[in-house]
Tab-separated table of all heavy atoms in Angstrom:
chain	number	residue	atom	x	y	z
A	1	GLY	N	6.545	103.396	-30.321
A	1	GLY	CA	5.985	104.688	-30.706
A	1	GLY	C	4.674	105.040	-30.029
A	1	GLY	O	3.794	105.641	-30.656
A	2	LYS	N	4.528	104.697	-28.759
A	2	LYS	CA	3.292	104.999	-28.014
A	2	LYS	C	3.618	105.776	-26.746
A	2	LYS	O	4.610	105.501	-26.068
A	2	LYS	CB	2.551	103.714	-27.621
A	2	LYS	CG	1.954	102.958	-28.772
A	2	LYS	CD	0.776	103.706	-29.346
A	2	LYS	CE	0.220	102.977	-30.552
A	2	LYS	NZ	-0.836	103.716	-31.197
A	3	GLU	N	2.750	106.727	-26.428
A	3	GLU	CA	2.847	107.469	-25.172
A	3	GLU	C	2.287	106.606	-24.044
A	3	GLU	O	1.474	105.706	-24.279
A	3	GLU	CB	2.054	108.774	-25.254
A	3	GLU	CG	2.626	109.782	-26.241
A	3	GLU	CD	3.986	110.304	-25.815
A	3	GLU	OE1	4.148	110.623	-24.620
A	3	GLU	OE2	4.880	110.403	-26.682
A	4	VAL	N	2.709	106.900	-22.831
A	4	VAL	CA	2.273	106.146	-21.653
A	4	VAL	C	1.300	106.987	-20.834
A	4	VAL	O	1.569	108.154	-20.548
A	4	VAL	CB	3.488	105.751	-20.787
A	4	VAL	CG1	3.040	105.071	-19.502
A	4	VAL	CG2	4.435	104.855	-21.578
A	5	GLU	N	0.183	106.380	-20.495
A	5	GLU	CA	-0.781	107.002	-19.586
A	5	GLU	C	-0.514	106.447	-18.194
A	5	GLU	O	-0.373	105.236	-18.026
A	5	GLU	CB	-2.213	106.645	-19.999
A	5	GLU	CG	-2.574	107.023	-21.428
A	5	GLU	CD	-3.853	106.328	-21.880
A	5	GLU	OE1	-4.823	106.254	-21.092
A	5	GLU	OE2	-3.862	105.842	-23.023
A	6	ILE	N	-0.473	107.309	-17.182
A	6	ILE	CA	-0.267	106.885	-15.801
A	6	ILE	C	-1.627	106.786	-15.117
A	6	ILE	O	-2.462	107.678	-15.260
A	6	ILE	CB	0.644	107.891	-15.050
A	6	ILE	CG1	2.019	107.987	-15.718
A	6	ILE	CG2	0.749	107.523	-13.574
A	6	ILE	CD1	2.832	106.700	-15.698
A	7	ASP	N	-1.840	105.707	-14.389
A	7	ASP	CA	-3.093	105.527	-13.653
A	7	ASP	C	-2.786	105.067	-12.232
A	7	ASP	O	-2.224	103.987	-12.038
A	7	ASP	CB	-3.992	104.510	-14.362
A	7	ASP	CG	-5.432	104.570	-13.878
A	7	ASP	OD1	-5.652	104.509	-12.644
A	7	ASP	OD2	-6.335	104.680	-14.721
A	8	GLU	N	-3.146	105.879	-11.264
A	8	GLU	CA	-2.888	105.608	-9.845
A	8	GLU	C	-3.517	104.292	-9.373
A	8	GLU	O	-3.048	103.684	-8.417
A	8	GLU	CB	-3.431	106.748	-8.976
A	8	GLU	CG	-2.822	108.094	-9.259
A	8	GLU	CD	-1.468	108.278	-8.640
A	8	GLU	OE1	-1.170	107.606	-7.630
A	8	GLU	OE2	-0.695	109.105	-9.165
A	9	ARG	N	-4.568	103.863	-10.041
A	9	ARG	CA	-5.293	102.666	-9.588
A	9	ARG	C	-4.472	101.390	-9.698
A	9	ARG	O	-4.807	100.387	-9.068
A	9	ARG	CB	-6.609	102.516	-10.354
A	9	ARG	CG	-7.611	103.607	-9.990
A	9	ARG	CD	-8.846	103.528	-10.836
A	9	ARG	NE	-8.541	103.949	-12.204
A	9	ARG	CZ	-9.455	104.068	-13.167
A	9	ARG	NH1	-10.722	103.763	-12.916
A	9	ARG	NH2	-9.110	104.467	-14.369
A	10	ILE	N	-3.392	101.431	-10.475
A	10	ILE	CA	-2.572	100.226	-10.592
A	10	ILE	C	-1.240	100.375	-9.860
A	10	ILE	O	-0.287	99.644	-10.124
A	10	ILE	CB	-2.391	99.780	-12.061
A	10	ILE	CG1	-1.918	100.933	-12.943
A	10	ILE	CG2	-3.680	99.153	-12.579
A	10	ILE	CD1	-1.622	100.533	-14.374
A	11	THR	N	-1.211	101.282	-8.892
A	11	THR	CA	-0.079	101.369	-7.977
A	11	THR	C	-0.076	100.095	-7.144
A	11	THR	O	-1.138	99.608	-6.747
A	11	THR	CB	-0.222	102.589	-7.050
A	11	THR	OG1	-0.317	103.760	-7.854
A	11	THR	CG2	0.946	102.705	-6.087
A	12	GLU	N	1.096	99.574	-6.857
A	12	GLU	CA	1.193	98.344	-6.061
A	12	GLU	C	0.602	98.558	-4.667
A	12	GLU	O	0.562	99.680	-4.160
A	12	GLU	CB	2.653	97.889	-5.966
A	12	GLU	CG	2.883	96.622	-5.158
A	12	GLU	CD	2.211	95.374	-5.713
A	12	GLU	OE1	0.955	95.305	-5.682
A	12	GLU	OE2	2.925	94.458	-6.150
A	13	GLN	N	0.158	97.482	-4.078
A	13	GLN	CA	-0.412	97.493	-2.731
A	13	GLN	C	0.611	98.033	-1.731
A	13	GLN	O	1.796	97.712	-1.799
A	13	GLN	CB	-0.814	96.065	-2.339
A	13	GLN	CG	-1.472	95.945	-0.991
A	13	GLN	CD	-1.977	94.530	-0.738
A	13	GLN	OE1	-1.870	93.649	-1.584
A	13	GLN	NE2	-2.536	94.322	0.437
A	14	ASN	N	0.142	98.832	-0.794
A	14	ASN	CA	0.981	99.312	0.297
A	14	ASN	C	0.953	98.245	1.383
A	14	ASN	O	-0.084	98.006	1.993
A	14	ASN	CB	0.447	100.644	0.820
A	14	ASN	CG	1.275	101.192	1.958
A	14	ASN	OD1	1.939	100.458	2.687
A	14	ASN	ND2	1.217	102.499	2.136
A	15	PHE	N	2.092	97.605	1.606
A	15	PHE	CA	2.177	96.524	2.587
A	15	PHE	C	2.559	97.013	3.975
A	15	PHE	O	2.967	96.228	4.835
A	15	PHE	CB	3.160	95.453	2.111
A	15	PHE	CG	2.640	94.659	0.936
A	15	PHE	CD1	3.184	94.840	-0.323
A	15	PHE	CD2	1.608	93.755	1.091
A	15	PHE	CE1	2.715	94.115	-1.410
A	15	PHE	CE2	1.115	93.030	0.009
A	15	PHE	CZ	1.673	93.220	-1.245
A	16	GLY	N	2.419	98.300	4.219
A	16	GLY	CA	2.591	98.873	5.551
A	16	GLY	C	3.878	98.463	6.227
A	16	GLY	O	4.971	98.661	5.705
A	17	LYS	N	3.745	97.867	7.401
A	17	LYS	CA	4.911	97.536	8.232
A	17	LYS	C	5.852	96.517	7.593
A	17	LYS	O	6.970	96.339	8.051
A	17	LYS	CB	4.460	97.042	9.604
A	17	LYS	CG	3.733	95.715	9.599
A	17	LYS	CD	3.298	95.328	11.002
A	17	LYS	CE	2.634	93.967	11.039
A	17	LYS	NZ	2.238	93.602	12.401
A	18	TYR	N	5.426	95.855	6.525
A	18	TYR	CA	6.273	94.859	5.866
A	18	TYR	C	7.112	95.436	4.721
A	18	TYR	O	7.987	94.744	4.185
A	18	TYR	CB	5.432	93.695	5.347
A	18	TYR	CG	4.785	92.910	6.454
A	18	TYR	CD1	3.433	93.028	6.720
A	18	TYR	CD2	5.536	92.058	7.263
A	18	TYR	CE1	2.836	92.318	7.760
A	18	TYR	CE2	4.950	91.351	8.304
A	18	TYR	CZ	3.604	91.482	8.538
A	18	TYR	OH	3.020	90.784	9.568
A	19	GLU	N	6.864	96.677	4.320
A	19	GLU	CA	7.631	97.289	3.228
A	19	GLU	C	9.129	97.209	3.543
A	19	GLU	O	9.563	97.591	4.628
A	19	GLU	CB	7.223	98.750	3.026
A	19	GLU	CG	5.797	98.941	2.565
A	19	GLU	CD	5.601	98.941	1.068
A	19	GLU	OE1	6.497	99.380	0.321
A	19	GLU	OE2	4.516	98.501	0.635
A	20	GLY	N	9.905	96.691	2.623
A	20	GLY	CA	11.350	96.606	2.761
A	20	GLY	C	11.863	95.381	3.496
A	20	GLY	O	13.057	95.125	3.514
A	21	LEU	N	10.964	94.604	4.093
A	21	LEU	CA	11.386	93.415	4.840
A	21	LEU	C	11.496	92.204	3.918
A	21	LEU	O	11.070	92.224	2.770
A	21	LEU	CB	10.412	93.135	5.976
A	21	LEU	CG	10.279	94.240	7.032
A	21	LEU	CD1	9.283	93.820	8.099
A	21	LEU	CD2	11.628	94.565	7.652
A	22	ASP	N	12.033	91.113	4.439
A	22	ASP	CA	12.206	89.860	3.704
A	22	ASP	C	10.841	89.323	3.278
A	22	ASP	O	9.978	89.069	4.113
A	22	ASP	CB	12.929	88.847	4.598
A	22	ASP	CG	13.225	87.530	3.915
A	22	ASP	OD1	12.763	87.301	2.772
A	22	ASP	OD2	13.923	86.713	4.528
A	23	ARG	N	10.654	89.137	1.970
A	23	ARG	CA	9.354	88.672	1.479
A	23	ARG	C	9.124	87.186	1.762
A	23	ARG	O	8.011	86.690	1.642
A	23	ARG	CB	9.146	89.021	0.011
A	23	ARG	CG	9.889	88.233	-1.001
A	23	ARG	CD	9.477	88.580	-2.435
A	23	ARG	NE	8.084	88.283	-2.697
A	23	ARG	CZ	7.096	89.178	-2.782
A	23	ARG	NH1	7.334	90.443	-2.663
A	23	ARG	NH2	5.858	88.805	-3.002
A	24	ASP	N	10.187	86.468	2.120
A	24	ASP	CA	10.037	85.054	2.451
A	24	ASP	C	9.679	84.841	3.919
A	24	ASP	O	9.550	83.706	4.362
A	24	ASP	CB	11.325	84.298	2.115
A	24	ASP	CG	11.606	84.303	0.613
A	24	ASP	OD1	10.637	84.306	-0.176
A	24	ASP	OD2	12.789	84.324	0.233
A	25	CYS	N	9.519	85.923	4.650
A	25	CYS	CA	9.151	85.867	6.066
A	25	CYS	C	7.781	85.194	6.216
A	25	CYS	O	6.813	85.574	5.547
A	25	CYS	CB	9.120	87.290	6.621
A	25	CYS	SG	8.334	87.470	8.209
A	26	LYS	N	7.711	84.190	7.066
A	26	LYS	CA	6.461	83.445	7.263
A	26	LYS	C	5.334	84.368	7.719
A	26	LYS	O	4.196	84.242	7.268
A	26	LYS	CB	6.671	82.325	8.282
A	26	LYS	CG	5.437	81.470	8.505
A	26	LYS	CD	5.687	80.366	9.512
A	26	LYS	CE	4.415	79.573	9.721
A	26	LYS	NZ	4.521	78.624	10.799
A	27	GLU	N	5.659	85.317	8.592
A	27	GLU	CA	4.643	86.250	9.093
A	27	GLU	C	4.031	87.072	7.956
A	27	GLU	O	2.822	87.252	7.890
A	27	GLU	CB	5.259	87.184	10.139
A	27	GLU	CG	4.278	88.174	10.721
A	27	GLU	CD	4.930	89.156	11.684
A	27	GLU	OE1	6.034	88.877	12.190
A	27	GLU	OE2	4.328	90.213	11.906
A	28	PHE	N	4.865	87.556	7.035
A	28	PHE	CA	4.359	88.325	5.896
A	28	PHE	C	3.513	87.447	4.985
A	28	PHE	O	2.436	87.842	4.548
A	28	PHE	CB	5.496	88.957	5.089
A	28	PHE	CG	5.029	89.580	3.799
A	28	PHE	CD1	4.218	90.702	3.803
A	28	PHE	CD2	5.388	89.038	2.571
A	28	PHE	CE1	3.768	91.269	2.624
A	28	PHE	CE2	4.947	89.594	1.382
A	28	PHE	CZ	4.135	90.714	1.412
A	29	TYR	N	3.987	86.254	4.702
A	29	TYR	CA	3.254	85.345	3.826
A	29	TYR	C	1.864	85.055	4.387
A	29	TYR	O	0.872	85.089	3.667
A	29	TYR	CB	4.040	84.044	3.627
A	29	TYR	CG	3.385	83.104	2.654
A	29	TYR	CD1	3.512	83.301	1.282
A	29	TYR	CD2	2.626	82.037	3.098
A	29	TYR	CE1	2.898	82.455	0.378
A	29	TYR	CE2	2.009	81.176	2.200
A	29	TYR	CZ	2.146	81.395	0.845
A	29	TYR	OH	1.525	80.562	-0.043
A	30	GLU	N	1.785	84.804	5.681
A	30	GLU	CA	0.492	84.535	6.317
A	30	GLU	C	-0.390	85.782	6.341
A	30	GLU	O	-1.601	85.707	6.112
A	30	GLU	CB	0.706	83.985	7.727
A	30	GLU	CG	1.281	82.572	7.723
A	30	GLU	CD	1.683	82.072	9.103
A	30	GLU	OE1	1.590	82.842	10.097
A	30	GLU	OE2	2.101	80.900	9.188
A	31	ALA	N	0.205	86.933	6.614
A	31	ALA	CA	-0.562	88.183	6.654
A	31	ALA	C	-1.113	88.527	5.272
A	31	ALA	O	-2.253	88.986	5.138
A	31	ALA	CB	0.317	89.313	7.179
A	32	ARG	N	-0.319	88.295	4.249
A	32	ARG	CA	-0.742	88.598	2.877
A	32	ARG	C	-1.924	87.735	2.443
A	32	ARG	O	-2.734	88.138	1.613
A	32	ARG	CB	0.437	88.408	1.923
A	32	ARG	CG	0.194	89.020	0.567
A	32	ARG	CD	1.337	88.777	-0.344
A	32	ARG	NE	1.240	87.393	-0.790
A	32	ARG	CZ	2.085	86.808	-1.590
A	32	ARG	NH1	3.130	87.437	-2.014
A	32	ARG	NH2	1.913	85.556	-1.959
A	33	ALA	N	-2.043	86.551	2.988
A	33	ALA	CA	-3.137	85.643	2.627
A	33	ALA	C	-4.472	86.069	3.245
A	33	ALA	O	-5.516	85.529	2.885
A	33	ALA	CB	-2.796	84.222	3.050
A	34	GLN	N	-4.428	87.023	4.157
A	34	GLN	CA	-5.643	87.561	4.773
A	34	GLN	C	-6.049	88.804	3.986
A	34	GLN	O	-5.472	89.868	4.164
A	34	GLN	CB	-5.394	87.897	6.250
A	34	GLN	CG	-4.875	86.738	7.068
A	34	GLN	CD	-5.821	85.541	7.040
A	34	GLN	OE1	-7.028	85.683	7.217
A	34	GLN	NE2	-5.271	84.363	6.790
A	35	PHE	N	-7.045	88.679	3.122
A	35	PHE	CA	-7.350	89.719	2.147
A	35	PHE	C	-7.888	91.017	2.736
A	35	PHE	O	-7.972	92.024	2.043
A	35	PHE	CB	-8.292	89.186	1.087
A	35	PHE	CG	-7.662	88.156	0.181
A	35	PHE	CD1	-8.437	87.436	-0.688
A	35	PHE	CD2	-6.297	87.908	0.196
A	35	PHE	CE1	-7.871	86.487	-1.539
A	35	PHE	CE2	-5.715	86.973	-0.643
A	35	PHE	CZ	-6.514	86.266	-1.513
A	36	LEU	N	-8.267	91.006	4.021
A	36	LEU	CA	-8.726	92.240	4.660
A	36	LEU	C	-7.640	92.881	5.514
A	36	LEU	O	-7.831	93.962	6.063
A	36	LEU	CB	-9.972	91.978	5.514
A	36	LEU	CG	-11.214	91.574	4.719
A	36	LEU	CD1	-12.358	91.216	5.661
A	36	LEU	CD2	-11.643	92.685	3.775
A	37	ASN	N	-6.470	92.253	5.597
A	37	ASN	CA	-5.367	92.742	6.417
A	37	ASN	C	-4.783	94.019	5.806
A	37	ASN	O	-4.440	94.049	4.634
A	37	ASN	CB	-4.285	91.662	6.508
A	37	ASN	CG	-3.243	91.951	7.552
A	37	ASN	OD1	-3.007	93.086	7.929
A	37	ASN	ND2	-2.615	90.900	8.030
A	38	ARG	N	-4.636	95.061	6.649
A	38	ARG	CA	-4.066	96.336	6.180
A	38	ARG	C	-2.618	96.513	6.623
A	38	ARG	O	-2.051	97.581	6.434
A	38	ARG	CB	-4.909	97.500	6.681
A	38	ARG	CG	-6.277	97.528	6.038
A	38	ARG	CD	-7.037	98.752	6.451
A	38	ARG	NE	-8.381	98.676	5.906
A	38	ARG	CZ	-9.389	99.381	6.346
A	38	ARG	NH1	-9.224	100.244	7.335
A	38	ARG	NH2	-10.572	99.249	5.804
A	39	PHE	N	-2.020	95.513	7.235
A	39	PHE	CA	-0.599	95.533	7.599
A	39	PHE	C	-0.242	96.741	8.465
A	39	PHE	O	0.757	97.404	8.253
A	39	PHE	CB	0.283	95.486	6.349
A	39	PHE	CG	-0.163	94.455	5.353
A	39	PHE	CD1	-0.812	94.832	4.188
A	39	PHE	CD2	0.036	93.108	5.593
A	39	PHE	CE1	-1.244	93.880	3.272
A	39	PHE	CE2	-0.381	92.150	4.677
A	39	PHE	CZ	-1.023	92.540	3.520
A	40	SER	N	-1.093	97.054	9.423
A	40	SER	CA	-0.979	98.185	10.347
A	40	SER	C	-1.280	99.519	9.667
A	40	SER	O	-2.282	100.131	9.950
A	40	SER	CB	0.370	98.239	11.039
A	40	SER	OG	0.533	97.122	11.873
A	41	ASP	N	-0.436	99.960	8.756
A	41	ASP	CA	-0.653	101.273	8.138
A	41	ASP	C	-0.649	101.206	6.613
A	41	ASP	O	-0.389	102.199	5.940
A	41	ASP	CB	0.396	102.271	8.632
A	41	ASP	CG	1.829	101.818	8.341
A	41	ASP	OD1	2.031	100.636	8.016
A	41	ASP	OD2	2.743	102.648	8.447
A	42	GLY	N	-0.972	100.048	6.059
A	42	GLY	CA	-1.000	99.882	4.612
A	42	GLY	C	-2.420	99.805	4.087
A	42	GLY	O	-3.318	100.483	4.593
């Protein structure tokens, strides 16, 4: 019985060039560990 508030700040991270690709890919795993990496356009 509660309404939902939407907040853009908790939208998932944009992983740029990796969106839709295999998440077990070594390249993605290594790139994700670099906290300043923007994944080209993410």
Side-chain angles (χ1 to χ4, degrees):
K2 291 289 177 185
E3 293 294 316
V4 175
E5 303 165 42
I6 299 296
D7 196 308
E8 300 281 335
R9 291 175 289 185
I10 51 176
T11 302
E12 180 62 292
Q13 183 174 358
N14 180 334
F15 289 108
K17 67 181 183 179
Y18 295 105
E19 295 271 328
L21 299 180
D22 183 353
R23 74 174 298 104
D24 295 328
C25 166
K26 182 180 178 188
E27 181 184 341
F28 171 67
Y29 184 79
E30 290 172 356
R32 194 182 77 181
Q34 304 302 313
F35 291 170
L36 294 175
N37 192 336
R38 292 185 185 162
F39 314 105
S40 295
D41 58 345

